[in-house]
Amino acid sequence: MTDTPIPSPNGSDRTLPRLVRDTLPLALDVAIEVAKNNGVCIRPIELRRLDTHTGMTESFNIPCGATQEAKCPPCANRNRQLRRAQCREGWHLDHEPVAEPNPSTEEQQWLIEFRADVQAKRDEAEKNGEEVADWDEAIAGIDAEINAAGMLGNVLGGRSTPKRSRSTRRRQDAPDLPKRAKQNTTLGRTFIASDGKVYRPSLFVTLTLPSYGRVRNGVPVNPSTYDYAAAARDALHFSKLVDRFVQNLRRVAGYDVQYFASVEPQKRLAPHLHMAIRGTMPRAEVKAIAAATYHQVWWPSVDEVRFDGDRLPVWSERAERAEPYPDGQAGDYLDPVTGELLPTWDEALDQLGTDERAEPLHVVRFGAQVDVQGVLAGSPDADQCIGYLSKYLTKSLGGPLDPEDPDNHARRDHATRMVEALRYEPCSPTCPNWLRYGVQPKGAKAGMLPGRCKGKAHKAEHLGYAGRRVLVSRKWSNKTLREHKQDRRAWVLDMLGLPDETVTDPHRYVWRPVSPKDPNRTPLAKRLLREVANRQRTRARLIELQARADGIPVPDLSATPELEVAA
């Protein structure tokens, strides 16, 4: 007599030994793996769309849009492919990617005229000594309507608050840079060969940070002498250094240099930059620009630790102040012993600006390793560089370690020491770590504690670098990433012969996210299965169209259901 399997609520077979059952994969895990293999988002966001014309409600799955492979590999890979397309389209352009502004409408002109009339009445009231608070409130509302009507910026222009400035005189330890008259173009030079062929070369530049000590296989040889403090500050302010490099590059090049750059982690866990530059310059000149580029961090000093351990500043919402509270603050931090008010962020900067002997908190520079390569359009080197620019975009700066790496333990210790060096280092003007050094953070609020900053620069997956991983100049391809995504979607719809349903009345549909507590929410497994089936049908249809284009036998797809393209 054979044992009859007893159905289990979770679908397992109770006749199997427990050790065997424990080795069986879960069906949901397999569904997630299949979704990954088919390029389907594994964390889709369910939305309901209400058609206000018919009253019908439909559910849609929207990809989560994650850029990190650890969160959602399909979405991260899709974002990487978009970045590759963006880099390829803008690198070797032969025409100016400039979009002219749309002409103003009658409604926009009327708003500006109305704004001018209200401003004149407000100025007249102020001249007569009358209260102008109501006028200012009305002007703020008109400015909001001006932006809502499709106009950018402030009609008055300029900054609402004066910008802090220090001497722009170059440091004595930095070489000077030549300046050329700037041409109003974003295109580099072209070269004509003897056979009449025109070449439009560009550059691929790699910039790194300086050495902090000897390393072997990405691990410090002597951790006790490795300068973790300098490594932490360089990582925190690396994005500002890149901005300075671009400014200097445009001054020397003499034209509006356009670039596509990505920030990636080195094996030693320090950020470094890969940059595709449209146009070409002498290699020696680019290296000289990198050597002459620096960024000075004019922040209050952190040499002295004033508050630590149990002795921390105390928050008070009723502190006696000679002046009103700074913007964004409802109280002050006091010295727990003397009750003295700690200087605010603006007060600390004012004190720093009046001190003629003050030195910057930190000066960031590039390292000696600068690699500059010339790249021709359409060459294998160009494709290789584009792949290199997007290679690590789906990885975090402090990503998971390779379990087969023999230096795994040492690298983990190295990352831990780097995170510890960043723990009390101020990452921004609003960082709670300023309390440790006797300065109130900008926009201080109750509950701040040194060493408990929630900024992403202090997280292990970022290792100090809190800027954007992809840096693209405004005139690179004259398209946003969303527009590149729409181009890819339009191509698929055109290949499948499907209409673009996004061109509809914007007031017809009402979209609402589905709450996780909604009892009618579609289970994740069912949504994944639907998207996998839809992706397989779409892929089969594309294979059929490709076969017809190549003149080979077309598989029988007559039973294929109607295709759907996810929003």
Side-chain angles (χ1 to χ4, degrees), residues 356-373:
E356 297 181 355
R357 297 176 299 176
E359 293 291 334
L361 173 66
H362 187 61
V363 180
V364 197
R365 290 186 173 90
F366 290 114
Q369 295 183 355
V370 179
D371 183 64
V372 184
Q373 301 177 21

Side-chain angles (χ1 to χ4, degrees), residues 12-148:
S12 62
D13 189 348
R14 290 185 180 181
T15 63
L16 296 175
R18 178 177 295 275
L19 293 178
V20 177
R21 293 202 306 268
D22 290 344
T23 61
L24 299 179
L26 295 176
L28 179 58
D29 292 342
V30 177
I32 293 176
E33 191 65 28
V34 171
K36 292 180 182 179
N37 296 336
N38 284 271
V40 173
C41 174
I42 62 174
R43 303 191 314 166
I45 302 171
E46 186 176 8
L47 298 179
R48 288 202 182 105
R49 186 183 72 177
L50 172 64
D51 191 334
T52 58
H53 291 184
T54 63
M56 295 182 59
T57 302
E58 294 181 272
S59 294
F60 290 87
N61 287 327
I62 307 300
C64 67
T67 58
Q68 295 299 310
E69 194 176 43
K71 297 179 180 179
C72 181
C75 286
N77 183 65
R78 192 178 299 112
N79 181 75
R80 185 170 64 89
Q81 295 299 332
L82 284 173
R83 289 298 188 182
R84 287 172 62 95
Q86 186 182 31
C87 181
R88 183 179 293 105
E89 288 190 24
W91 199 353
H92 297 92
L93 284 183
D94 55 1
H95 59 279
E96 292 291 344
V98 180
E100 295 294 334
N102 296 327
S104 60
T105 63
E106 293 184 1
E107 178 188 2
Q108 293 172 342
Q109 295 178 7
W110 180 87
L111 281 172
I112 296 299
E113 292 175 355
F114 181 52
R115 173 69 167 78
D117 183 55
V118 175
Q119 181 70 43
K121 293 180 179 178
R122 187 263 182 205
D123 295 342
E124 183 67 22
E126 184 180 28
K127 182 179 179 181
N128 296 333
E130 301 176 6
E131 182 64 35
V132 295
D134 293 340
W135 288 110
D136 290 337
E137 184 178 354
I139 287 175
I142 298 173
D143 287 340
E145 291 185 18
I146 287 174
N147 295 138

Side-chain angles (χ1 to χ4, degrees), residues 172 233 280 354 362 445 535:
Q172 297 298 319
R233 291 182 180 177
T280 186
T354 57
H362 187 61
K445 55 185 178 181
R535 183 59 58 90

Side-chain angles (χ1 to χ4, degrees), residues 421-487:
L422 288 162
R423 181 180 179 185
Y424 292 109
E425 194 68 35
C427 65
S428 67
T430 60
C431 183
N433 287 339
W434 286 113
L435 294 174
R436 178 179 172 89
Y437 308 105
V439 177
Q440 295 193 61
K442 187 175 182 179
K445 55 185 178 181
M448 287 185 163
L449 292 174
R452 300 289 182 87
C453 180
K454 296 182 180 180
K456 71 177 186 178
H458 295 280
K459 297 180 179 179
E461 59 266 30
H462 295 282
L463 291 179
Y465 181 77
R468 291 175 289 116
R469 294 289 300 277
V470 180
L471 312 171
V472 186
S473 56
R474 295 184 178 180
K475 300 177 183 178
W476 176 256
S477 63
N478 205 31
K479 294 180 183 178
T480 63
L481 193 63
R482 182 176 182 178
E483 290 172 333
H484 283 285
K485 183 178 180 180
Q486 291 173 346
D487 289 346

Side-chain angles (χ1 to χ4, degrees), residues 202-213:
S202 294
L203 294 177
F204 183 76
V205 180
T206 301
L207 302 172
T208 62
L209 288 170
S211 173
Y212 311 109

